[in-house]
Amino acid sequence: MIDMCRWQRDHRRYDDLLKYCRKHNNYEDYQPFFYRWTDEEMSNVALSLCHYVDKMMMSYEHWLEQDFKENGGIRERMSAARLGYRNIQKAMLDAKEREITSLKNEIASLQREISSLKAQLSAGTS
């Protein structure tokens, strides 16, 4: 049986191991060392990488949880988008209806003014 130990903070290579693992996350970064590192070195690298992946996954899970709390799930977002679109369409229709009403009132006013001017013109020529 091979005597291996898990490196702790007080191990002389612990800090260097963490620095390397933080900066390198591709298979190609580790491949040259596969035949040079001892089983203990490989095991400690693997454990460090597992811890980093675990930390990233936990952070991502926390982010997903916060996002869900703040924005809801997919159905809620789809409903909100659909309702938002409908509200925009309704607001646009309401604005167009107000514009049409305003233009109809302006037309009626101009038609009254035209009638008044025609009356004045015909009164002045007789």
Side-chain angles (χ1 to χ4, degrees):
M1 180 171 174
I2 299 172
D3 185 29
M4 291 191 293
C5 70
R6 181 173 174 207
W7 297 349
Q8 302 295 326
R9 292 187 189 276
D10 59 345
H11 191 279
R12 63 182 176 81
R13 294 185 57 199
Y14 182 80
D15 290 332
D16 290 335
L17 168 70
L18 293 183
K19 286 177 191 173
Y20 188 83
C21 289
R22 279 188 195 116
K23 293 180 182 179
H24 299 88
N25 58 3
N26 292 316
Y27 171 79
E28 293 81 20
D29 298 330
Y30 295 91
Q31 186 189 20
F33 301 109
F34 288 163
Y35 298 105
R36 293 180 15 204
W37 281 342
T38 65
D39 291 341
E40 182 177 309
E41 291 169 322
M42 288 294 289
S43 298
N44 279 284
V45 167
L47 280 172
S48 295
L49 292 172
C50 287
H51 285 291
Y52 281 125
V53 169
D54 182 56
K55 184 177 179 184
M56 287 187 315
M57 294 303 293
M58 294 304 291
S59 296
Y60 182 63
E61 182 181 22
H62 178 72
W63 178 85
L64 286 174
E65 182 181 321
Q66 287 302 114
D67 184 55
F68 182 80
K69 287 178 185 176
E70 293 171 10
N71 301 310
I74 186 71
R75 287 185 181 178
E76 291 171 297
R77 291 178 189 191
M78 290 171 66
S79 295
R82 189 172 52 251
L83 292 173
Y85 178 77
R86 287 181 186 166
N87 289 337
I88 290 170
Q89 294 298 313
K90 184 178 180 336
M92 289 173 58
L93 285 174
D94 290 346
K96 295 297 180 189
E97 287 177 7
R98 286 192 300 275
E99 184 181 2
I100 289 170
T101 302
S102 173
L103 290 172
K104 283 181 179 178
N105 291 338
E106 188 177 345
I107 289 171
S109 173
L110 290 171
Q111 285 175 336
R112 286 191 298 275
E113 188 177 338
I114 290 171
S115 295
S116 172
L117 290 172
K118 281 183 181 178
Q120 288 176 5
L121 185 62
S122 64
T125 58
S126 346

